[in-house]
């Protein structure tokens, strides 16, 4: 099997050997700390050997549950936020037909996402859309108490029960949550929903290869065996100190130490937009702490060359780019001849649209490197389940190593609590009386 590849030359040219070596020298310790579970956050290392621990029996359970949902639902709403939805959405959008949900032929259920915002209009419009539809819900929350998800789930559960009856609702609502704790677990047990467990030692943003990601991906009709196989093969590649994940971690940290504080993840395929979003969360929550961390930004090219291109080419020189490049498009679309050639584009006649895209990619890389932007490329032979599985594990593994090279705990997210505490105090949640008083005094 082929593998995704990492090209570093156009980033390394911005670094001297000393800068790279000073980071490189810390790789062995980081790899060892991960493998031997001695690093900070070592109770959240379940993702490390997760792919190789996945059995055909477990995948069979996921596929059986997905089949029940597929047979009984024309629409499946995945309720979850952060690590409890981004990975599934990234894979589903990368593999899906971008227009299928508009022209849906009924072969696959429509997969929608909720519980990742508190937009009243969003939820109202979703509930309106679901009226009369045979919909099901996958309620995903590790803590089982996340407000955004719980709020959406309460609405969806009620509507599902009213529309489809309690018995069918029980069959088409599935919970993915902690084994024992949280309201999502209590509800699932009380209602008798089918449920899957998120392992204690796998944090949200590292959980895409648990039922958190696998169940929605299987519901959408994609091959979870191939996804897991890709991740397993990448896990096997990443055991030694020198592998593409450690190489990526080293170069991005060396760039950071050289003043490149912002990493921009770039794709040239609109289908990868949510892969960017998943990556932003993985790296943002893992590394942004203790007053440190590369800021993870993301753009979709060529679209954003017409919005962010100017800044990237000529703005403050504190950025570097990592480009996900897909070698082969799935479909073939040739540029047609036009007798009149009014647009002057006959020079492209007979070329694949993807060839034009590739020249945009190459031209952009050369321009940005000329403009002082270090550029790494991650090359995927094609967009399929197998290479996405590789990509996911590659980024997870590199993130663990990179966070340790940065000397932070990559597996906690203490900063996420600050807004929640204020929101609960402002809303008068029971148990927050003192905070409520303090915050009211502050805003008055
Ligand atoms: O990575 C994380 O831990 C977070 O982004 C969580 O996934 C997110 O906050 C959702 O949490 P939960 O699954 O508990 O609802």
């Amino acid at each position: 099997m082929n593998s995704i590849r990492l090209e570093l030359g156009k980033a390394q040219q911005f670094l001297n050997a000393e800068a790279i070596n000073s980071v490189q020298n810390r790789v062995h310790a980081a790899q060892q700390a991960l493998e031997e579970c001695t690093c900070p956050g070592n109770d959240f290392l379940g993702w490390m050997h997760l792919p190789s621990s996945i059995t055909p029996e477990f995948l069979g359970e996921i596929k059986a549950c997905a089949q029940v949902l597929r047979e009984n639902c024309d629409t499946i709403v995945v309720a979850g936020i952060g690590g409890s939805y981004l990975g599934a959405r990234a894979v589903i959008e990368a593999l899906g037909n971008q227009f299928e949900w508009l022209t849906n032929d009924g072969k696959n259920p429509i997969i929608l996402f909720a519980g990742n915002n508190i937009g009243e209009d969003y939820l109202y419009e979703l509930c309106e859309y679901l009226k009369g539809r045979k919909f099901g819900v996958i309620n995903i929350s590790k803590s089982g108490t996340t407000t955004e998800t719980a709020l959406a789930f309460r609405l969806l559960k009620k509507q599902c029960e009213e529309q489809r009856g309690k018995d069918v609702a029980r069959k088409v609502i599935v919970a993915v949550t902690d084994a024992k704790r949280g309201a999502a677990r209590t509800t699932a047990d009380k209602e008798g929903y089918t449920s899957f467990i998120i392992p204690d030692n796998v944090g949200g943003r590292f959980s895409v290869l648990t039922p958190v990601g696998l169940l929605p991906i299987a519901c959408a009709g994609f091959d979870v065996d191939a996804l897991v196989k890709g991740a397993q093969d990448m896990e096997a590649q990443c055991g030694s100190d020198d592998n593409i994940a450690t190489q990526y971690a080293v170069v991005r940290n060396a760039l950071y130490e050289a003043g490149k504080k912002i990493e921009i993840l770039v794709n040239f395929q609109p289908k990868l937009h949510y892969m960017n979003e998943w990556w932003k969360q993985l790296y943002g929550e893992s590394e942004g702490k203790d007053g440190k961390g590369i800021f993870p930004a993301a753009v979709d090219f060529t679209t954003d060359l017409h919005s962010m291109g100017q800044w990237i080419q000529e703005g403050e020189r504190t950025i570097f780019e990592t480009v996900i490049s897909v070698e082969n498009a799935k479909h073939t679309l040739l540029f047609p001849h036009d007798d009149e050639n009014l647009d002057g584009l006959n020079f492209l006649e007979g070329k694949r649209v993807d060839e034009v895209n590739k020249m945009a990619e190459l031209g952009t890389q050369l321009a940005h490197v000329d403009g002082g932007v270090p550029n790494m490329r991650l090359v995927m032979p094609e967009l399929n389940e197998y290479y996405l599985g590789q990509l996911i594990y590659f980024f997870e593994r590199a993130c663990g190593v990179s966070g340790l090279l940065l000397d932070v705990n990559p597996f906690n997210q203490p900063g996420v609590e600050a807004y929640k505490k204020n929101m609960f105090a402002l809303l008068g949640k029971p148990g927050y009386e003192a905070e409520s008083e303090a915050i009211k005094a502050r805003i008055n």
Side-chain angles (χ1 to χ4, degrees), residues 286-302:
S286 299
E287 295 195 319
K289 50 197 69 156
D290 305 339
K292 296 190 269 193
I294 298 169
F295 183 83
V299 289
D300 303 319
F301 284 170
T302 62

Side-chain angles (χ1 to χ4, degrees), residues 81-84 140-144 146 149 203-205 281 285 413:
I81 193 167
S84 287
I140 308 179
S141 176
K142 185 167 185 207
S143 63
T146 301
T149 306
R205 57 190 176 275
Q281 191 223 353
E285 274 193 5
Q413 55 285 329

Side-chain angles (χ1 to χ4, degrees), residues 10 268 357-368 377:
K10 292 198 161 36
F268 278 80
N357 201 24
K358 289 291 183 299
M359 291 308 107
E361 188 179 321
L362 182 56
T364 304
Q365 184 194 44
L366 295 172
H368 289 182
R377 283 179 87 232

Side-chain angles (χ1 to χ4, degrees), residues 55 74 76 84 88 119 125 143 154 177 193 197 225 252 262 272 296 309 321 324 371 385 408:
T55 60
D74 55 31
I76 298 170
S84 287
E125 288 164 15
S143 63
R154 185 186 279 211
T177 187
Y193 299 150
I197 292 169
D225 298 292
R252 64 195 296 281
I262 301 165
L272 287 174
E321 286 178 316
I324 303 180
E385 288 90 337
V408 297

Side-chain angles (χ1 to χ4, degrees), residues 73-79 101 110-114 122-138 152-153 155-164:
C73 304
D74 55 31
T75 306
I76 298 170
V77 185
V78 178
W101 80 288
I110 295 168
I111 309 288
L112 300 175
F113 295 88
Y122 183 95
L123 285 167
Y124 176 88
E125 288 164 15
L126 174 66
C127 292
E128 283 296 303
Y129 174 80
L130 293 172
K131 278 187 184 158
R133 301 196 72 90
K134 285 165 56 185
F135 79 93
V137 184
I138 307 177
F153 181 66
L155 288 164
L156 293 166
K157 174 178 186 286
K158 186 164 180 288
Q159 185 169 345
C160 188
E161 287 171 351
E162 283 169 5
Q163 256 173 240
R164 309 200 64 185

